[in-house]
């Protein structure tokens, strides 16, 4: 039994997280709309994904989380694009995460959250497909904060030869 109060996905104080940069055939990216559970006005957009569970790999976690949060299962999972460490307050506590962002492609664009946790049900307001241009012009908060720039580089140059380590983000 884990003695870690944050669960088995925390190793060395960091929660191991797999995120998905999901692109449709028109190169739009899928983002989820989240907010503080007790304050829907405190909101942001973010990529699907979440913590690694048990002995699953990060790739397995990415596909599981994507299915749970969006209902999208017809996915071609690609390489890890980016890695990032972040720390942020959410739902009354601080989350310290080591995130890996996987590239994925799908033709399945209809979303339906199938298996949200209780906390996700209180804090995820929906999903939206964004073009790179819409993302670059957005006034909303988006994580990671340089996502529009990162997406533009990805679409222009393709995936990097090796995953890129992004600057840490501490909110």
């Amino acid at each position: 039994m884990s003695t870690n109060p944050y669960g088995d996905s925390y190793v060395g104080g960091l929660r191991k997280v797999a995120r998905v940069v999901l692109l449709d055939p028109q190169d739009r990216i899928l983002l989820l709309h989240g907010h503080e559970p007790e304050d829907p006005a405190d909101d942001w957009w973010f990529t699907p994904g979440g913590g690694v569970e048990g002995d699953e790999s990060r790739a397995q976690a990415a596909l599981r989380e994507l299915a749970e949060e969006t209902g999208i299962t017809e996915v071609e999972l690609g390489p890890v694009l980016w890695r990032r460490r972040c720390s942020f307050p959410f739902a009354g506590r601080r989350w310290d995460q080591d995130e890996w962002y996987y590239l994925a492609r799908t033709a399945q664009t209809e979303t339906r959250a199938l298996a949200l946790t209780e906390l996700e049900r209180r804090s995820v307001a929906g999903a939206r497909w964004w073009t790179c241009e819409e993302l670059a012009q957005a006034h909303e908060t988006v994580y990671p904060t340089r996502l529009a720039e990162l997406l533009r580089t990805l679409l222009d140059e393709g995936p990097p030869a090796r995953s890129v380590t992004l600057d840490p983000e501490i909110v």
Side-chain angles (χ1 to χ4, degrees):
M1 175 155 226
S2 173
T3 57
N4 188 325
Y6 302 117
D8 292 331
S9 65
Y10 270 83
V11 176
L14 284 173
R15 182 175 182 237
K16 290 172 55 178
V17 171
R19 299 211 160 279
V20 181
V21 176
L22 185 64
L23 302 178
D24 73 359
Q26 289 77 46
D27 286 336
R28 296 181 303 168
I29 186 173
L30 182 67
L31 297 179
L32 301 180
H33 190 201
H35 59 83
E36 268 295 329
E38 306 305 322
D39 183 7
D42 183 2
D43 68 332
W44 57 87
W45 293 87
F46 64 102
T47 58
V52 174
E53 294 181 357
D55 62 355
E56 72 183 348
S57 69
R58 289 213 201 209
Q60 291 168 329
L63 293 172
R64 176 186 49 76
E65 287 283 342
L66 185 64
E68 290 173 358
E69 294 174 347
T70 70
I72 295 176
T73 56
E74 298 167 23
V75 174
E76 180 186 325
L77 191 64
V80 176
L81 299 170
W82 317 308
R83 295 178 187 207
R84 168 181 92 134
R85 290 207 171 168
C86 61
S87 179
F88 54 91
F90 174 67
R93 72 175 177 87
R94 179 150 292 275
W95 299 71
D96 297 311
Q97 301 192 155
D98 176 34
E99 300 181 335
W100 291 14
Y101 288 78
Y102 286 85
L103 174 62
R105 293 245 176 216
T106 188
Q108 183 184 346
T109 57
E110 183 179 325
T111 63
R112 199 173 95 231
L114 297 176
L116 296 181
T117 66
E118 185 272 335
L119 180 57
E120 288 169 333
R121 281 192 299 276
R122 293 189 301 124
S123 62
V124 177
R128 175 182 162 196
W129 291 95
W130 295 71
T131 66
C132 191
E133 293 72 27
E134 289 170 335
L135 199 53
Q137 296 171 7
H139 295 291
E140 292 93 345
T141 301
V142 177
Y143 294 109
T145 55
R146 293 178 41 230
L147 185 57
E149 172 191 337
L150 293 164
L151 181 58
R152 177 79 278 148
T153 300
L154 173 64
L155 295 176
D156 289 347
E157 301 174 11
R162 285 191 312 213
S163 62
V164 174
T165 301
L166 305 179
D167 290 336
E169 286 192 54
I170 300 173
V171 178

